[in-house]
């Protein structure tokens, strides 16, 4: 709960305006400007919402200065061990606390029950172009769930939310695996109810009809970790998209589909693909790490050092730290090697010594090392952002739930500073 503890004064046109100040549980303070327009005709200017708290949330906490990330209060580092699984993290994000044994078993059973796609949905999937971008397919398919699961378009209770959440979390991995299989000209592999969430996904991705893919425990654990690390990140671009759509009382599927579209962008989840393209280019000799840094620093060049920088972190992204160590661990255990891992390490080292990146406090973010780990699992690069989306889905559902059930929640509708023409008359065509 954030508490009202203080007042701030705004001095404008010789007039003093009292504003409430709220303090979050970790001491962060926010000035309440909601009455400024109604009472004083003033608005606040904050392009890109860089410094606006759009809600009260108890899902995820980030301290960007110190590189801290917690889900429901639990430090992210505590999930970096074999026991926690993605499904219990998903449950905790959505329902507010870690599930007990029965709750987890019940939710896992629901996921198993709903892993197949409705036949109508599957035939819609077949009509999409084989070479369509996987994120376009994913957003379309999640959106189309509104056509085949109409019982979840309107609800006001948690039990129905759990049913809807189980369907979308389960089916998203079937959709992702089918997308890869079809693009590769391979037959669909149906889910195996005896397998756990991550192993089942790998089975659908890589088994062949006459040979079941054997999931190495290290790979299953690594995928589990990747999904957990991506599961939520408070008010990021895609979570914000989900909340905005939800605030109009749009349904869960429509809102999550919007989240997929936001995530697709290269400045957000799409950066994991851009990172691999950049590392490949350096590896193949098309660019030296120094050229890459120079291009990223050049303000006339749209190129960025992908996988670096963050709106909130002014420190090493804790997820990147965990992923970097996980790469070392998995590569070592499975006796793997990948030249791109060496390229990434060198590029990071150079960037962290370069005054441009040092002065701006730009560090590796979650996307810098995640692709290397996904590549080690055999996931093709064009599926990387889809993998991010599978991981992020519980976070979107948790944000949707918090927004949908928030007391006094209103439609989100920011204002603007109009800088266009003043009142102008229409000019007849022949007079222009
Ligand atoms: N390469 C080069 N310059 C950068 C980078 C980068 N990766 N990131 C930030 N900067 C520069 C900005 O241009 C700005 O420079 P200036 O002060 O000279 O104008 C300065 O660093 C500060 O930038 P921020 O205000 O911190 O950046 P912003 O919050 O607008 O953008 C973003 C954050 C989009 C993540 C940016 O860092 C970026 O483009 N990174 C590369 C793409 C990427 O990796 N995205 C994934 C982010 S994590 C996620 O969404 C899952």
């Amino acid at each position: 709960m954030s508490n009202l503890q203080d007042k701030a004064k705004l001095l404008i046109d010789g007039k003093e305006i009292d504003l409430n100040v709220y303090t979050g549980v970790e001491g962060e303070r926010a000035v309440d400007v909601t009455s400024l327009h109604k009472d004083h005709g003033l608005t606040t200017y904050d392009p890109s919402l860089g410094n606006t708290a759009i809600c009260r949330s108890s899902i995820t906490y980030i301290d960007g200065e110190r590189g801290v990330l917690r889900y429901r209060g639990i430090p992210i580092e505590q999930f970096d061990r074999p026991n926690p699984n993605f499904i219990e993290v998903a449950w905790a994000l959505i329902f507010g606390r870690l599930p007990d044994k029965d709750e987890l078993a019940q939710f896992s059973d629901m996921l198993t029950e709903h892993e197949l796609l409705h036949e109508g949905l599957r035939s819609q999937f077949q009509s999409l172009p084989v070479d369509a971008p996987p994120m376009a397919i994913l957003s379309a398919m999640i959106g189309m769930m509104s056509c085949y699961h109409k019982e979840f378009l309107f609800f006001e209770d948690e039990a129905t939310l759990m049913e809807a959440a189980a369907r979308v979390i389960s089916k998203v991995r079937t959709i992702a695996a089918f997308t890869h299989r079809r693009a590769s000209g391979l037959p669909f592999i149906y889910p195996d109810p005896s397998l756990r969430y991550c192993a089942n996904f790998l089975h659908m991705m890589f088994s062949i009809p006459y040979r079941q893919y054997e999931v190495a425990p290290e790979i299953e654990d690594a995928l589990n970790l990747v999904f957990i690390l991506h599961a939520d990140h408070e008010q990021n671009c895609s979570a914000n998209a989900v909340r905005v759509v939800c605030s109009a009382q749009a349904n869960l599927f429509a809102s999550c589909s919007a989240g997929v579209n936001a995530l697709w962008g290269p400045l957000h989840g799409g950066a994991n693909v851009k990172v691999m393209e950049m590392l490949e280019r350096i590896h193949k000799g098309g660019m030296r790490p120094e050229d890459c840094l120079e291009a990223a620093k050049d303000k006339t060049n749209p190129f960025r050092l992908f996988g670096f920088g963050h709106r909130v972190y002014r420190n090493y992204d804790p997820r990147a730290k965990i992923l970097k160590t996980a790469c070392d661990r998995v590569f070592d255990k499975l006796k793997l090697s990948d030249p791109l891992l060496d390229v990434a390490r060198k590029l990071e080292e150079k960037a962290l010594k370069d005054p441009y990146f040092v002065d701006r406090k730009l560090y590796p973010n979650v996307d810098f090392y995640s692709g290397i780990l996904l590549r080690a699992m055999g996931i093709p690069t064009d599926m990387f952002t889809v993998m991010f989306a599978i991981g992020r889905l519980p976070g979107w559902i948790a944000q949707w739930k918090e927004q949908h059930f928030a007391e006094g929640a209103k439609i989100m509708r920011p204002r603007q500073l109009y800088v266009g023409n003043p009142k102008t008359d229409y000019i007849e065509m022949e007079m222009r």
Side-chain angles (χ1 to χ4, degrees), residues 135 174 260 307 358 410 431:
M135 285 296 273
T174 313
V260 172
V358 175
K410 290 185 174 177
M431 304 290 286

Side-chain angles (χ1 to χ4, degrees), residues 36-311:
L36 268 185
H37 194 269
K38 183 166 59 75
D39 296 346
H40 306 282
L42 286 167
T43 192
T44 51
Y45 181 62
D46 180 23
S48 318
L49 298 178
N51 188 27
T52 294
I54 57 138
C55 60
R56 291 168 188 230
S57 182
S58 37
I59 304 168
T60 292
Y61 172 73
I62 299 177
D63 179 339
E65 295 298 323
R66 293 191 297 137
V68 169
L69 168 62
R70 299 180 198 142
Y71 293 160
R72 295 290 181 188
I74 305 168
I76 194 73
E77 292 76 14
Q78 294 188 17
F79 295 108
D80 182 18
R81 50 176 116 143
N83 287 342
N85 81 58
F86 173 57
I87 299 309
E88 66 176 330
V89 172
W91 202 97
L93 287 169
I94 300 170
F95 299 106
R97 59 172 171 80
L98 289 168
D100 65 26
K101 244 188 186 165
D102 291 345
E103 288 165 334
L104 183 60
Q106 184 209 8
F107 194 56
S108 301
D109 287 349
M110 285 164 90
L111 294 180
T112 303
E113 193 186 332
H114 297 297
E115 55 198 9
L116 287 174
L117 304 185
H118 185 290
E119 278 299 299
L121 193 57
R122 202 170 73 96
S123 74
Q124 295 290 340
F125 173 78
Q126 296 284 33
S127 70
L128 297 169
V130 172
D131 59 352
M135 285 296 273
I137 296 180
L138 189 66
S139 112
M141 292 293 286
I142 294 179
M144 268 192 284
M145 283 182 71
S146 301
C147 308
Y148 293 92
H149 300 280
K150 289 194 293 206
E151 66 277 31
F152 299 112
L153 298 192
F154 305 99
F155 57 82
E156 290 303 333
D157 62 292
E158 264 199 17
T160 314
L161 171 79
M162 191 180 290
E163 291 278 350
R167 276 164 181 76
V168 66
I169 291 175
S170 187
K171 290 179 199 306
V172 74
R173 103 200 116 149
T174 313
I175 295 167
F178 277 16
T179 301
H180 165 64
R181 302 292 296 201
R182 199 173 59 123
S184 315
L186 293 166
F188 293 155
I189 296 290
Y190 280 87
D192 177 346
S194 71
L195 295 174
R196 291 189 302 183
Y197 190 88
C198 294
N200 205 354
F201 172 71
L202 292 165
H203 156 70
M204 285 190 272
M205 286 286 285
F206 302 125
S207 283
I208 38 180
Y210 47 86
R211 191 170 355 107
Q212 174 115 357
Y213 171 81
E214 275 188 33
V215 184
E218 292 81 3
I219 294 291
E220 187 182 352
D221 287 349
L223 182 58
N224 182 59
L225 180 65
V226 167
F227 284 157
I228 290 176
L229 295 179
H230 287 82
D232 192 52
H233 213 233
E234 51 117 304
Q235 305 314 312
N236 58 86
C237 179
S238 55
N240 191 235
V242 169
R243 277 195 184 253
V244 170
V245 176
C246 170
S247 78
Q249 295 185 356
N251 72 71
L252 181 70
F253 307 131
S255 306
C256 289
S257 174
V260 172
N261 287 325
L263 188 74
W264 189 4
L267 295 189
H268 192 13
N272 58 13
V273 173
K274 290 287 187 188
V275 169
M276 291 316 270
E277 288 170 2
M278 183 177 78
L279 298 179
E280 288 269 16
R281 204 166 147 203
I282 296 173
H283 174 58
K284 288 186 178 148
M287 203 183 199
R288 294 174 309 146
E290 294 77 6
D291 301 331
C292 188
L293 298 186
E294 287 315 310
K297 292 183 318 193
D298 178 358
K299 297 291 179 195
T300 63
N301 187 337
F303 181 84
R304 297 203 156 209
L305 184 59
F306 288 98
F308 255 71
H310 198 274
R311 172 58 60 84

Side-chain angles (χ1 to χ4, degrees), residues 390-406:
I390 299 175
R392 183 53 57 87
L393 198 53
W396 290 334
I397 297 170
Q399 301 286 343
W400 186 92
K401 175 176 175 252
E402 205 173 63
Q403 180 68 37
H404 183 78
F405 293 108

Side-chain angles (χ1 to χ4, degrees), residues 316 319-329 341 345 348 352 364 369-370 373:
Y316 215 108
R319 302 166 300 174
K321 216 180 257 179
I322 296 172
L323 284 169
K324 188 179 178 186
T325 317
C327 279
D328 292 339
R329 192 169 59 221
L341 180 56
R345 284 202 198 102
E348 178 194 338
L352 293 183
Y369 286 103
S370 62
L373 209 45

